Amino acid sequence: MDFRASLLEQTRAFGDLIRSADPATPVPTCGEWTLRQLFRHVGRGNRWAAQIISDRRSQPLDPRDVRDGKPPEDADAAIDWLDDGAQLVIDAVDRVGSDARVWTFIGPRPAGWWIRRRLHEATVHRADAALALDAEYDLPPELAGDALSEWLERACVDKRNAVVLDRGQSIHLHATEEKLGPTGEWTIVHDGDGVWWSHSHSKGSVALRGPVTELLLATVRRKTAAEAGLEVFGDTAVWDAWLDSTPY
């Protein structure tokens, strides 16, 4: 997958969705945010990441210190600001090198890590905007699958959130798109090594099955399993406890 091209594409799609909408529209999946706040969050977030990379920071950056972190008032100029921010992330990685170690909220990572992270920030927040506007939302299966994998990678290592999965319990997610092959299955387990995940096929304490985009939206708590039309098998309390403990 070309993460760079996808970052630009998803950012443009996010901006196009919001461009003609009322900025005061509530975004129910983001607490009390409006579309204006969601737009600023995504746009400033890209510039925040680009500055972390460019400065080769080893410590976090206060979002208030992001250069050009506020979108212009003019709607068209604001869209340009949004799109330019995504390109700034890519340009910053090119300048310092993909392997240069920089700060991230889950510990030092190669600078190139940020491109995939910002891609899926746009992927999920585009869903927030679409749900707020009752607009169509779809993703290529490979992109939705990678978004789900990237989210699980962070959830299992992010020390800011203690994910709840009792020892011996497991969760299995199964996408119905056959073209995904082995990458269309995710198993989360808690064993002697702690909580981790893999693309293995196994029976979980609870299993969810359905289209990969809907699995993604359920996992990141944008839809319930029922709203996403997913089949659920096994102990639903395990799934509910996992969701309650995971980052939003």
Side-chain angles (χ1 to χ4, degrees):
M1 181 182 300
D2 187 339
F3 292 130
R4 293 167 176 240
S6 294
L7 169 58
L8 299 178
E9 290 168 1
Q10 288 299 308
T11 302
R12 283 194 294 267
F14 172 77
D16 288 344
L17 185 59
I18 289 181
R19 182 190 296 269
S20 59
D22 182 351
T25 302
V27 183
T29 52
C30 289
E32 298 182 354
W33 278 8
T34 63
L35 285 179
R36 178 185 290 106
Q37 290 167 301
L38 180 65
F39 181 88
R40 184 176 60 200
H41 171 77
V42 174
R44 183 169 63 181
N46 282 336
R47 291 169 184 270
W48 173 76
Q51 192 168 329
I52 288 169
I53 298 163
S54 292
D55 295 348
R56 301 191 183 200
R57 294 184 63 92
S58 59
Q59 297 293 326
L61 172 66
D62 189 325
R64 293 171 297 184
D65 295 332
V66 174
R67 293 186 287 270
D68 196 21
K70 186 177 179 180
E73 292 296 329
D74 177 77
D76 289 336
I79 294 296
D80 290 340
W81 172 86
L82 173 73
D83 293 340
D84 290 347
Q87 185 65 54
L88 285 174
V89 176
I90 295 169
D91 292 345
V93 171
D94 286 341
R95 278 195 301 274
V96 306
S98 293
D99 295 330
R101 305 285 282 186
V102 299
W103 178 89
T104 82
F105 44 80
I106 57 172
R109 291 290 188 276
W113 178 93
W114 277 108
I115 293 178
R116 186 178 180 219
R117 171 79 289 276
R118 295 311 302 174
L119 159 62
H120 294 311
E121 185 80 358
T123 297
V124 172
H125 283 318
R126 184 165 72 84
D128 290 321
L131 290 167
L133 296 169
D134 195 25
E136 182 179 350
Y137 179 79
D138 197 18
L139 292 170
E142 295 84 358
L143 180 58
D146 190 72
L148 182 49
S149 296
E150 192 264 352
W151 188 93
L152 289 173
E153 288 169 15
R154 290 187 293 108
C156 290
V157 302
D158 192 343
K159 302 306 181 185
R160 299 172 302 170
N161 303 282
V163 293
V164 173
L165 192 64
D166 291 340
R167 188 162 179 167
Q169 290 182 339
S170 60
I171 298 170
H172 184 67
L173 307 175
H174 193 139
T176 49
E177 289 89 349
E178 294 184 2
K179 64 186 295 185
L180 291 175
T183 64
E185 296 190 57
W186 299 261
T187 298
I188 312 155
V189 301
H190 185 172
D191 59 14
D193 295 322
V195 178
W196 58 278
W197 76 278
S198 70
H199 282 302
S200 64
H201 174 78
S202 62
K203 183 178 180 180
S205 305
V206 63
L208 289 82
R209 184 177 186 275
V212 64
T213 297
E214 300 304 319
L215 284 174
L216 169 65
L217 295 179
T219 302
V220 298
R221 292 190 283 163
R222 267 49 185 192
K223 290 184 179 181
T224 65
E227 289 169 343
L230 302 176
E231 296 178 276
V232 183
F233 309 93
D235 189 350
T236 57
V238 173
W239 176 246
D240 292 339
W242 167 263
L243 289 182
D244 287 344
S245 70
T246 53
Y248 194 57

Short mmCIF file of all heavy atoms in Angstrom, two decimals, residues 6-18 27 29-30 35 38 41-42 118-140 143-144 213 216-217 222:
data_model
loop_
_atom_site.label_atom_id
_atom_site.label_comp_id
_atom_site.label_asym_id
_atom_site.label_seq_id
_atom_site.Cartn_x
_atom_site.Cartn_y
_atom_site.Cartn_z
N SER A 6 -2.07 7.57 -0.16
CA SER A 6 -3.33 7.38 0.58
C SER A 6 -3.55 8.51 1.58
O SER A 6 -4.69 8.95 1.78
CB SER A 6 -3.33 6.03 1.29
OG SER A 6 -3.32 4.97 0.36
N LEU A 7 -2.47 8.99 2.21
CA LEU A 7 -2.61 10.12 3.14
C LEU A 7 -3.16 11.34 2.41
O LEU A 7 -4.08 12.01 2.89
CB LEU A 7 -1.25 10.45 3.78
CG LEU A 7 -1.18 11.75 4.57
CD1 LEU A 7 -2.20 11.78 5.70
CD2 LEU A 7 0.24 11.97 5.11
N LEU A 8 -2.61 11.63 1.24
CA LEU A 8 -3.09 12.78 0.47
C LEU A 8 -4.53 12.57 0.01
O LEU A 8 -5.36 13.50 0.08
CB LEU A 8 -2.18 13.02 -0.73
CG LEU A 8 -0.71 13.35 -0.41
CD1 LEU A 8 0.09 13.51 -1.70
CD2 LEU A 8 -0.59 14.59 0.46
N GLU A 9 -4.84 11.36 -0.44
CA GLU A 9 -6.20 11.07 -0.93
C GLU A 9 -7.23 11.16 0.19
O GLU A 9 -8.31 11.76 0.00
CB GLU A 9 -6.23 9.67 -1.54
CG GLU A 9 -5.47 9.55 -2.86
CD GLU A 9 -5.26 8.11 -3.27
OE1 GLU A 9 -5.74 7.21 -2.54
OE2 GLU A 9 -4.61 7.88 -4.32
N GLN A 10 -6.95 10.57 1.34
CA GLN A 10 -7.91 10.59 2.44
C GLN A 10 -8.08 11.99 3.02
O GLN A 10 -9.17 12.37 3.43
CB GLN A 10 -7.48 9.61 3.53
CG GLN A 10 -7.65 8.15 3.16
CD GLN A 10 -9.10 7.80 2.86
OE1 GLN A 10 -10.00 8.08 3.66
NE2 GLN A 10 -9.35 7.20 1.70
N THR A 11 -7.00 12.76 3.03
CA THR A 11 -7.10 14.13 3.50
C THR A 11 -7.96 14.96 2.56
O THR A 11 -8.83 15.74 3.00
CB THR A 11 -5.70 14.76 3.63
OG1 THR A 11 -4.90 13.99 4.53
CG2 THR A 11 -5.79 16.19 4.15
N ARG A 12 -7.77 14.79 1.25
CA ARG A 12 -8.61 15.51 0.28
C ARG A 12 -10.07 15.09 0.41
O ARG A 12 -10.98 15.94 0.36
CB ARG A 12 -8.11 15.26 -1.14
CG ARG A 12 -6.85 16.05 -1.51
CD ARG A 12 -6.60 16.01 -3.02
NE ARG A 12 -6.28 14.67 -3.48
CZ ARG A 12 -5.05 14.19 -3.58
NH1 ARG A 12 -4.02 14.93 -3.23
NH2 ARG A 12 -4.84 12.96 -4.02
N ALA A 13 -10.31 13.80 0.58
CA ALA A 13 -11.69 13.31 0.71
C ALA A 13 -12.35 13.87 1.97
O ALA A 13 -13.54 14.22 1.96
CB ALA A 13 -11.70 11.78 0.73
N PHE A 14 -11.58 13.96 3.05
CA PHE A 14 -12.09 14.54 4.29
C PHE A 14 -12.47 16.01 4.07
O PHE A 14 -13.55 16.46 4.46
CB PHE A 14 -11.02 14.41 5.37
CG PHE A 14 -11.33 15.13 6.66
CD1 PHE A 14 -12.23 14.61 7.56
CD2 PHE A 14 -10.69 16.33 6.96
CE1 PHE A 14 -12.51 15.28 8.75
CE2 PHE A 14 -10.95 17.00 8.14
CZ PHE A 14 -11.87 16.47 9.04
N GLY A 15 -11.59 16.76 3.42
CA GLY A 15 -11.87 18.17 3.16
C GLY A 15 -13.05 18.36 2.23
O GLY A 15 -13.88 19.25 2.44
N ASP A 16 -13.15 17.53 1.20
CA ASP A 16 -14.25 17.64 0.26
C ASP A 16 -15.59 17.38 0.95
O ASP A 16 -16.60 18.02 0.61
CB ASP A 16 -14.08 16.65 -0.89
CG ASP A 16 -12.96 17.04 -1.84
OD1 ASP A 16 -12.53 18.21 -1.79
OD2 ASP A 16 -12.52 16.19 -2.63
N LEU A 17 -15.59 16.48 1.91
CA LEU A 17 -16.82 16.15 2.62
C LEU A 17 -17.29 17.33 3.47
O LEU A 17 -18.49 17.62 3.56
CB LEU A 17 -16.58 14.92 3.50
CG LEU A 17 -17.76 14.32 4.25
CD1 LEU A 17 -18.87 13.89 3.29
CD2 LEU A 17 -17.30 13.12 5.08
N ILE A 18 -16.35 18.02 4.06
CA ILE A 18 -16.68 19.10 4.98
C ILE A 18 -16.86 20.45 4.27
O ILE A 18 -17.56 21.33 4.76
CB ILE A 18 -15.58 19.20 6.07
CG1 ILE A 18 -15.69 18.00 7.01
CG2 ILE A 18 -15.65 20.50 6.84
CD1 ILE A 18 -14.68 18.00 8.13
N VAL A 27 -20.74 16.74 15.81
CA VAL A 27 -20.14 15.46 15.42
C VAL A 27 -20.35 14.50 16.59
O VAL A 27 -19.51 14.44 17.51
CB VAL A 27 -18.64 15.62 15.09
CG1 VAL A 27 -18.05 14.30 14.62
CG2 VAL A 27 -18.44 16.71 14.05
N THR A 29 -19.94 11.43 17.22
CA THR A 29 -18.93 10.42 17.54
C THR A 29 -17.65 11.04 18.11
O THR A 29 -16.70 10.30 18.42
CB THR A 29 -18.58 9.60 16.29
OG1 THR A 29 -18.24 10.49 15.21
CG2 THR A 29 -19.75 8.72 15.87
N CYS A 30 -17.62 12.36 18.26
CA CYS A 30 -16.45 13.03 18.83
C CYS A 30 -16.87 13.93 20.00
O CYS A 30 -16.49 15.11 20.07
CB CYS A 30 -15.72 13.86 17.77
SG CYS A 30 -14.85 12.87 16.54
N LEU A 35 -18.06 20.20 13.37
CA LEU A 35 -17.22 19.97 12.20
C LEU A 35 -16.03 20.94 12.16
O LEU A 35 -14.95 20.58 11.71
CB LEU A 35 -18.05 20.11 10.92
CG LEU A 35 -18.99 18.97 10.57
CD1 LEU A 35 -19.74 19.29 9.28
CD2 LEU A 35 -18.24 17.65 10.43
N LEU A 38 -13.43 19.47 14.41
CA LEU A 38 -12.88 18.25 13.81
C LEU A 38 -11.91 18.62 12.69
O LEU A 38 -10.81 18.04 12.59
CB LEU A 38 -14.01 17.38 13.27
CG LEU A 38 -13.60 16.06 12.61
CD1 LEU A 38 -12.95 15.13 13.63
CD2 LEU A 38 -14.82 15.39 11.96
N HIS A 41 -8.72 19.95 14.14
CA HIS A 41 -7.99 18.86 14.78
C HIS A 41 -7.16 18.09 13.76
O HIS A 41 -5.97 17.82 13.98
CB HIS A 41 -8.97 17.93 15.49
CG HIS A 41 -8.37 16.67 16.00
ND1 HIS A 41 -7.60 16.61 17.14
CD2 HIS A 41 -8.42 15.39 15.50
CE1 HIS A 41 -7.20 15.37 17.34
NE2 HIS A 41 -7.68 14.60 16.36
N VAL A 42 -7.78 17.73 12.65
CA VAL A 42 -7.06 16.97 11.63
C VAL A 42 -5.98 17.82 10.97
O VAL A 42 -4.83 17.39 10.81
CB VAL A 42 -8.04 16.42 10.57
CG1 VAL A 42 -7.29 15.76 9.42
CG2 VAL A 42 -9.01 15.42 11.21
N ARG A 118 -0.89 9.36 10.44
CA ARG A 118 -1.72 10.48 10.00
C ARG A 118 -2.70 10.05 8.92
O ARG A 118 -3.81 10.59 8.83
CB ARG A 118 -0.84 11.62 9.50
CG ARG A 118 0.03 12.26 10.56
CD ARG A 118 -0.70 12.63 11.82
NE ARG A 118 -1.82 13.54 11.56
CZ ARG A 118 -2.69 13.94 12.48
NH1 ARG A 118 -2.61 13.48 13.73
NH2 ARG A 118 -3.66 14.77 12.17
N LEU A 119 -2.34 9.07 8.12
CA LEU A 119 -3.28 8.51 7.15
C LEU A 119 -4.52 8.00 7.86
O LEU A 119 -5.66 8.35 7.50
CB LEU A 119 -2.62 7.38 6.36
CG LEU A 119 -3.57 6.37 5.67
CD1 LEU A 119 -4.45 7.07 4.64
CD2 LEU A 119 -2.75 5.25 5.04
N HIS A 120 -4.33 7.20 8.88
CA HIS A 120 -5.49 6.58 9.52
C HIS A 120 -6.20 7.53 10.48
O HIS A 120 -7.37 7.31 10.81
CB HIS A 120 -5.09 5.27 10.17
CG HIS A 120 -4.69 4.25 9.14
ND1 HIS A 120 -5.47 3.98 8.04
CD2 HIS A 120 -3.58 3.46 9.02
CE1 HIS A 120 -4.87 3.06 7.29
NE2 HIS A 120 -3.73 2.74 7.86
N GLU A 121 -5.54 8.59 10.89
CA GLU A 121 -6.24 9.66 11.60
C GLU A 121 -7.29 10.27 10.64
O GLU A 121 -8.44 10.50 11.03
CB GLU A 121 -5.25 10.73 12.05
CG GLU A 121 -5.84 11.83 12.90
CD GLU A 121 -6.03 11.45 14.35
OE1 GLU A 121 -5.74 10.29 14.72
OE2 GLU A 121 -6.48 12.30 15.13
N ALA A 122 -6.88 10.51 9.40
CA ALA A 122 -7.81 11.05 8.41
C ALA A 122 -8.88 10.03 8.05
O ALA A 122 -10.07 10.38 7.87
CB ALA A 122 -7.06 11.48 7.16
N THR A 123 -8.49 8.77 7.94
CA THR A 123 -9.44 7.71 7.58
C THR A 123 -10.60 7.64 8.57
O THR A 123 -11.77 7.60 8.18
CB THR A 123 -8.70 6.35 7.55
OG1 THR A 123 -7.71 6.38 6.53
CG2 THR A 123 -9.66 5.22 7.27
N VAL A 124 -10.28 7.63 9.85
CA VAL A 124 -11.32 7.49 10.88
C VAL A 124 -12.09 8.79 11.06
O VAL A 124 -13.32 8.78 11.21
CB VAL A 124 -10.71 7.02 12.21
CG1 VAL A 124 -11.74 7.06 13.33
CG2 VAL A 124 -10.17 5.59 12.05
N HIS A 125 -11.40 9.93 11.01
CA HIS A 125 -12.13 11.19 11.20
C HIS A 125 -13.00 11.52 9.98
O HIS A 125 -13.99 12.25 10.11
CB HIS A 125 -11.17 12.33 11.51
CG HIS A 125 -10.68 12.29 12.93
ND1 HIS A 125 -11.53 12.01 13.99
CD2 HIS A 125 -9.44 12.49 13.48
CE1 HIS A 125 -10.85 12.05 15.12
NE2 HIS A 125 -9.59 12.32 14.84
N ARG A 126 -12.66 11.00 8.82
CA ARG A 126 -13.58 11.14 7.69
C ARG A 126 -14.88 10.39 7.98
O ARG A 126 -15.96 10.84 7.60
CB ARG A 126 -12.94 10.65 6.40
CG ARG A 126 -13.83 10.88 5.17
CD ARG A 126 -13.08 10.73 3.87
NE ARG A 126 -12.71 9.36 3.54
CZ ARG A 126 -13.53 8.50 2.92
NH1 ARG A 126 -14.76 8.85 2.58
NH2 ARG A 126 -13.10 7.28 2.64
N ALA A 127 -14.76 9.26 8.67
CA ALA A 127 -15.96 8.54 9.07
C ALA A 127 -16.79 9.38 10.05
O ALA A 127 -18.02 9.42 9.96
CB ALA A 127 -15.58 7.20 9.71
N ASP A 128 -16.12 10.07 10.97
CA ASP A 128 -16.84 10.94 11.91
C ASP A 128 -17.64 12.00 11.15
O ASP A 128 -18.81 12.25 11.47
CB ASP A 128 -15.85 11.64 12.84
CG ASP A 128 -15.21 10.69 13.83
OD1 ASP A 128 -15.91 9.80 14.35
OD2 ASP A 128 -14.00 10.84 14.10
N ALA A 129 -17.00 12.61 10.16
CA ALA A 129 -17.68 13.64 9.38
C ALA A 129 -18.84 13.05 8.59
O ALA A 129 -19.93 13.63 8.51
CB ALA A 129 -16.69 14.33 8.45
N ALA A 130 -18.62 11.89 8.00
CA ALA A 130 -19.68 11.25 7.20
C ALA A 130 -20.87 10.89 8.07
O ALA A 130 -22.03 11.09 7.67
CB ALA A 130 -19.13 10.01 6.50
N LEU A 131 -20.62 10.36 9.25
CA LEU A 131 -21.71 10.01 10.15
C LEU A 131 -22.45 11.26 10.62
O LEU A 131 -23.68 11.26 10.75
CB LEU A 131 -21.16 9.23 11.36
CG LEU A 131 -20.66 7.81 11.04
CD1 LEU A 131 -19.86 7.26 12.21
CD2 LEU A 131 -21.82 6.88 10.70
N ALA A 132 -21.72 12.34 10.85
CA ALA A 132 -22.36 13.59 11.28
C ALA A 132 -23.25 14.16 10.19
O ALA A 132 -24.30 14.78 10.48
CB ALA A 132 -21.29 14.61 11.67
N LEU A 133 -22.85 13.95 8.94
CA LEU A 133 -23.58 14.52 7.81
C LEU A 133 -24.51 13.52 7.14
O LEU A 133 -25.13 13.83 6.12
CB LEU A 133 -22.58 15.06 6.78
CG LEU A 133 -21.69 16.21 7.26
CD1 LEU A 133 -20.56 16.47 6.28
CD2 LEU A 133 -22.54 17.47 7.47
N ASP A 134 -24.59 12.32 7.71
CA ASP A 134 -25.40 11.24 7.12
C ASP A 134 -25.00 11.02 5.67
O ASP A 134 -25.84 10.86 4.78
CB ASP A 134 -26.89 11.57 7.22
CG ASP A 134 -27.78 10.33 6.97
OD1 ASP A 134 -27.29 9.21 7.19
OD2 ASP A 134 -28.94 10.50 6.55
N ALA A 135 -23.69 11.02 5.44
CA ALA A 135 -23.13 10.86 4.10
C ALA A 135 -22.59 9.45 3.93
O ALA A 135 -22.30 8.75 4.91
CB ALA A 135 -22.03 11.88 3.85
N GLU A 136 -22.43 9.03 2.70
CA GLU A 136 -21.88 7.71 2.41
C GLU A 136 -20.42 7.65 2.84
O GLU A 136 -19.66 8.62 2.71
CB GLU A 136 -21.99 7.42 0.92
CG GLU A 136 -21.50 6.04 0.51
CD GLU A 136 -21.65 5.79 -0.98
OE1 GLU A 136 -22.30 6.59 -1.67
OE2 GLU A 136 -21.08 4.78 -1.45
N TYR A 137 -20.01 6.51 3.38
CA TYR A 137 -18.63 6.30 3.78
C TYR A 137 -18.21 4.90 3.39
O TYR A 137 -18.86 3.93 3.74
CB TYR A 137 -18.47 6.48 5.29
CG TYR A 137 -17.06 6.24 5.78
CD1 TYR A 137 -16.08 7.21 5.63
CD2 TYR A 137 -16.71 5.03 6.39
CE1 TYR A 137 -14.78 7.00 6.08
CE2 TYR A 137 -15.41 4.81 6.83
CZ TYR A 137 -14.45 5.80 6.68
OH TYR A 137 -13.16 5.59 7.11
N ASP A 138 -17.13 4.83 2.66
CA ASP A 138 -16.60 3.53 2.26
C ASP A 138 -15.09 3.66 2.10
O ASP A 138 -14.57 4.75 1.87
CB ASP A 138 -17.25 3.06 0.95
CG ASP A 138 -17.03 1.57 0.72
OD1 ASP A 138 -16.69 0.86 1.69
OD2 ASP A 138 -17.20 1.12 -0.43
N LEU A 139 -14.42 2.54 2.23
CA LEU A 139 -12.97 2.50 2.07
C LEU A 139 -12.59 1.28 1.24
O LEU A 139 -13.27 0.26 1.30
CB LEU A 139 -12.28 2.37 3.44
CG LEU A 139 -12.36 3.53 4.41
CD1 LEU A 139 -11.82 3.11 5.77
CD2 LEU A 139 -11.58 4.73 3.88
N PRO A 140 -11.52 1.35 0.49
CA PRO A 140 -11.00 0.13 -0.13
C PRO A 140 -10.70 -0.88 0.97
O PRO A 140 -10.17 -0.50 2.03
CB PRO A 140 -9.72 0.60 -0.83
CG PRO A 140 -9.89 2.07 -1.01
CD PRO A 140 -10.69 2.54 0.16
N LEU A 143 -7.29 -0.73 2.63
CA LEU A 143 -7.07 0.45 3.47
C LEU A 143 -7.78 0.29 4.81
O LEU A 143 -7.21 0.58 5.86
CB LEU A 143 -7.56 1.71 2.75
CG LEU A 143 -7.38 3.04 3.51
CD1 LEU A 143 -5.92 3.27 3.85
CD2 LEU A 143 -7.93 4.19 2.68
N ALA A 144 -9.03 -0.17 4.78
CA ALA A 144 -9.76 -0.38 6.03
C ALA A 144 -9.07 -1.43 6.88
O ALA A 144 -8.97 -1.29 8.11
CB ALA A 144 -11.19 -0.81 5.73
N THR A 213 -14.73 -2.59 6.65
CA THR A 213 -14.95 -1.20 7.06
C THR A 213 -15.84 -1.13 8.28
O THR A 213 -15.63 -0.32 9.19
CB THR A 213 -15.56 -0.37 5.91
OG1 THR A 213 -14.62 -0.33 4.82
CG2 THR A 213 -15.87 1.05 6.34
N LEU A 216 -13.89 -2.11 11.32
CA LEU A 216 -13.09 -0.97 11.75
C LEU A 216 -13.92 0.01 12.56
O LEU A 216 -13.52 0.42 13.66
CB LEU A 216 -12.49 -0.27 10.53
CG LEU A 216 -11.83 1.09 10.79
CD1 LEU A 216 -10.60 0.94 11.68
CD2 LEU A 216 -11.46 1.78 9.47
N LEU A 217 -15.08 0.38 12.05
CA LEU A 217 -15.91 1.38 12.73
C LEU A 217 -16.40 0.88 14.08
O LEU A 217 -16.52 1.66 15.03
CB LEU A 217 -17.09 1.77 11.84
CG LEU A 217 -16.70 2.51 10.55
CD1 LEU A 217 -17.95 2.83 9.73
CD2 LEU A 217 -15.92 3.78 10.84
N ARG A 222 -17.08 3.89 16.55
CA ARG A 222 -17.90 4.83 15.79
C ARG A 222 -19.29 4.26 15.55
O ARG A 222 -20.24 4.99 15.31
CB ARG A 222 -17.22 5.17 14.47
CG ARG A 222 -16.34 6.41 14.49
CD ARG A 222 -15.36 6.46 15.61
NE ARG A 222 -14.64 7.74 15.65
CZ ARG A 222 -13.57 7.96 16.38
NH1 ARG A 222 -13.09 7.00 17.15
NH2 ARG A 222 -12.99 9.16 16.38
#
